[in-house]
């Protein structure tokens, strides 16, 4: 059995402070950690369309998607999503899959539902 999960706008939802904490947890030192903080915090954007600029808005979450660092930072951010899940878990960018060989449909369903509940809990606390 295979469950496929896709979080809409996942790259846009990365909590900057949480990412900095996770970078520190994987051993990023203070100077480099400061650099990442400067890279993430106080980002701004605006749109130019038909000769008119929109208002500038501050980006309070997310990693830059059209960058080399964006996908790497996203993977560091979600890497602990697989903690304590009994089924097979595969991560690819913002897609997560849970799979199991079905020997007992009821046990398999229970294990996969438990994994989904843990992923849901992680998303509420990340």
């Amino acid at each position: 059995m295979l469950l496929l999960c896709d979080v809409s706008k996942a790259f846009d939802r990365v909590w900057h402070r949480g990412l900095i904490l996770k970078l520190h947890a994987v051993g990023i030192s203070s100077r480099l950690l400061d650099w990442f903080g400067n890279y993430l915090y106080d980002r701004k954007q605006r749109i130019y369309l038909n000769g008119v600029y929109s208002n500038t808005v501050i980006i309070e979450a997310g990693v830059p998607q059209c960058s080399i660092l964006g996908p790497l930072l996203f993977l560091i951010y979600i890497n602990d999503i697989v903690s304590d899940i009994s089924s097979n878990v595969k991560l690819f960018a913002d897609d997560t899959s849970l799979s199991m060989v079905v020997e007992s449909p009821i046990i398999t369903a229970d294990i996969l539902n438990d994994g989904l509940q843990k992923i849901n809990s992680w998303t509420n606390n990340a």
Side-chain angles (χ1 to χ4, degrees):
M1 182 175 286
L2 175 67
L3 297 175
L4 302 172
C5 305
D6 181 65
V7 177
S8 64
K9 299 187 180 193
F11 280 72
D12 297 332
R13 298 174 189 258
V14 173
W15 176 42
H16 291 161
R17 180 71 182 137
L19 176 57
I20 294 296
L21 291 171
K22 289 180 182 195
L23 287 168
H24 180 67
V26 297
I28 302 295
S29 64
S30 59
R31 289 187 68 201
L32 187 54
L33 205 58
D34 290 342
W35 184 89
F36 277 111
N38 288 332
Y39 179 71
L40 294 169
Y41 295 127
D42 296 323
R43 296 182 78 86
K44 299 176 178 96
Q45 72 179 22
R46 66 180 178 171
I47 298 170
Y48 180 77
L49 180 64
N50 296 328
V52 178
Y53 285 101
S54 69
N55 292 332
T56 300
V57 295
I58 295 173
I59 306 301
E60 297 180 359
V63 293
Q65 295 179 40
C66 295
S67 69
I68 293 171
L69 282 177
L72 175 63
L73 293 173
F74 180 78
L75 289 174
I76 290 169
Y77 186 72
I78 67 160
N79 193 47
D80 60 347
I81 198 171
V82 299
S83 298
D84 197 32
I85 294 179
S86 299
S87 63
N88 297 313
V89 180
K90 301 286 186 217
L91 300 173
F92 182 77
D94 61 342
D95 297 319
T96 303
S97 68
L98 296 109
S99 64
M100 288 187 68
V101 173
V102 178
E103 293 178 16
S104 164
I106 293 172
I107 292 172
T108 300
D110 287 345
I111 291 171
L112 291 174
N113 279 323
D114 181 64
L116 286 174
Q117 288 174 347
K118 288 176 180 172
I119 289 172
N120 184 57
S121 178
W122 180 93
T123 62
N124 291 327
N125 296 316

